[in-house]
Amino acid sequence: MPETKVLINLSNRHIHVSKEDLAALFGAGHKLTKTKDLMQPGQFACEETVTIVGPKGRFEGVRILGPERAETQCEILASDQFKLGVPNCAVRESGQLDGSFPMEIIGPAGSVKKARGLIIAKRHIHFDPEAAKRFGVVDKELVSLKAGGERGAIFENVVCRVSPSYALECHLDFDEGNAVGIGNGSIGEIIKK
Amino acid sequence: MPETKVLINLSNRHIHVSKEDLAALFGAGHKLTKTKDLMQPGQFACEETVTIVGPKGRFEGVRILGPERAETQCEILASDQFKLGVPNCAVRESGQLDGSFPMEIIGPAGSVKKARGLIIAKRHIHFDPEAAKRFGVVDKELVSLKAGGERGAIFENVVCRVSPSYALECHLDFDEGNAVGIGNGSIGEIIKK
């Protein structure tokens, strides 16, 4: 029998920035300040936050997650769409930014307008290749995930992402966690179709 | 084959007030001002709003839904627990307030401290008896509900409530709607165990 139980951590809205945008937002030569390592190897939460501006509203204090990436992307919650004024914001895997909404980002040293990069993260599970074997899943496979107790649900279309640079961990967001009454460190069960 | 498709509407945080509390909050003799009929017969949204205060924070502009009820109850979102400071807020059917958290309510004419009445509404489906027959469900039965599209989920433990005073309608809250990417007027599918 393949393994089925997986650790779930919840994402709040956050942003990944490119080297160029980091310099524009925080000043040339600025280095990100790590406050906490995340479970995915090499990924970390930063002291730095920015303001994200949409057509109707803004969120202050949006945390930067490091390290820098090739392209800036901001992952919001579905519930953020209304305040920002971006209904029908694209639901995407990280890095898939074609056709995503534009946004303005304001930092302490300057602001940048991005033509794209605002997404709602598609719920997903990170696997290292060894874990993927034990769970019997392959990269890009869609599975369902049972989460929560009395107020639980089976989330559909959870994408499996397999890479040697990943650690076994499911990422839901705060909306999804609140909907099923779970916090960080909850355990979910993968259900294959 | 029983029917399975049901209209879903989403609840935001809201409050039902007793006659006594309405008088304390808005002044003796105050009558609720209807702004919109709700789908459930006799239920309506009001112009009046109040502030709800918990141990750590408050929400202003919490809408009163009329008519008055025998006991005041405030239905919050799971995501509201953190700001109010009421982790582990009871998940309850409407009216089942034993052991629920206390709260303070502030209106324009006064405030009241309630020893209980703060709940997270348990997701539910209203049926009139005729509809219950067509769907093959009985009062208090727990079913699952498939909702949403690409970002969908199957919500478990959705309680069926059958009464001649109800109209066929499923009530999820904003957290649940956001988690599966639906708005008001979406269609869900009942899945029996």
Side-chain angles (χ1 to χ4, degrees), chain A residues 150-170:
Chain A
E150 183 200 345
R151 205 162 177 257
I154 298 167
F155 290 110
E156 301 179 315
N157 294 325
V158 185
V159 64
C160 298
R161 298 171 57 190
V162 182
S163 161
S165 66
Y166 291 157
L168 181 62
E169 181 188 26
C170 175

Side-chain angles (χ1 to χ4, degrees), chain B residues 35-86:
Chain B
T35 57
K36 191 176 71 169
D37 279 313
L38 300 178
M39 191 159 172
Q40 293 306 310
Q43 304 293 307
F44 53 92
C46 298
E47 194 174 282
E48 289 85 353
T49 64
V50 296
T51 297
I52 301 300
V53 185
K56 275 186 60 180
R58 62 181 57 203
F59 283 100
E60 298 178 355
V62 177
R63 181 79 47 201
I64 295 181
L65 300 189
E68 298 89 344
R69 297 217 177 163
E71 183 171 356
T72 294
Q73 80 181 33
C74 181
E75 299 174 37
I76 62 168
L77 309 176
S79 53
D80 293 345
Q81 295 176 95
F82 314 107
K83 185 170 171 189
L84 283 178
V86 289

Side-chain angles (χ1 to χ4, degrees), chain B residues 34 57 74 78 100 127 183 189:
Chain B
K34 182 198 294 190
C74 181
S100 61
F127 294 89
E189 184 182 353

Side-chain angles (χ1 to χ4, degrees), chain A residues 75-86:
Chain A
E75 300 173 36
I76 61 169
L77 308 177
S79 53
D80 293 346
Q81 294 176 93
F82 313 108
K83 185 171 172 188
L84 283 178
V86 289

